[in-house]
């Protein structure tokens, strides 16, 4: 079970990282964008590390407060939840 969850988290984080890169590329092209809600939902669903890496690597959404402060907060909540689950 733990291994399956780890694989799922890896996949969602890689996907989230790529989506942030795609959105940055689309922003540079001036084309249709991925909504901020979608970017945040991917983080909430377990892709917070991929989102933070995407922000850092792609230099994307770094000035938006809901990303700059929200994503680390989401990650901290996820770490706390994992800790609580492991302790049971």
């Amino acid at each position: 079970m733990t291994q399956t969850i780890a694989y799922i988290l890896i996949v969602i984080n890689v996907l989230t990282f790529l989506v942030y890169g795609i959105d940055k590329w689309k922003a540079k092209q001036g084309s249709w964008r991925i909504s901020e809600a979608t970017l945040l939902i991917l983080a909430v669903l377990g892709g917070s590390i991929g989102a933070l890496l995407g922000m850092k690597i792609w230099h994307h959404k770094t000035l938006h407060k809901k990303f700059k402060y929200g994503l680390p907060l989401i990650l901290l909540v996820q770490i706390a939840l994992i800790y609580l689950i492991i302790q049971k």
Side-chain angles (χ1 to χ4, degrees):
M1 182 69 168
T2 306
Q3 191 174 16
T4 303
I5 292 171
Y7 288 138
I8 290 169
L9 287 174
I10 290 168
V11 169
I12 190 72
N13 277 285
V14 169
L15 174 68
T16 303
F17 176 77
L18 293 173
V19 169
Y20 272 68
I22 291 167
D23 191 50
K24 178 65 176 196
W25 179 79
K26 288 181 174 223
K28 287 183 176 182
Q29 301 299 314
S31 67
W32 171 86
R33 302 281 304 280
I34 297 165
S35 73
E36 288 185 350
T38 299
L39 296 174
L40 289 169
I41 288 170
L42 286 170
V44 169
L45 293 176
S48 56
I49 294 172
L52 287 166
L53 287 172
M55 282 179 61
K56 178 92 172 150
I57 300 297
W58 310 118
H59 305 285
H60 192 49
K61 301 291 185 188
T62 57
L63 300 177
H64 292 82
K65 288 183 182 178
K66 62 181 145 187
F67 288 89
K68 185 176 181 179
Y69 301 112
L71 289 177
L73 182 61
I74 291 168
L75 178 59
L76 288 174
V77 169
Q78 290 171 340
I79 290 169
L81 287 172
I82 290 169
Y83 176 77
L84 291 172
I85 290 169
I86 290 173
Q87 292 302 310
K88 290 186 177 185

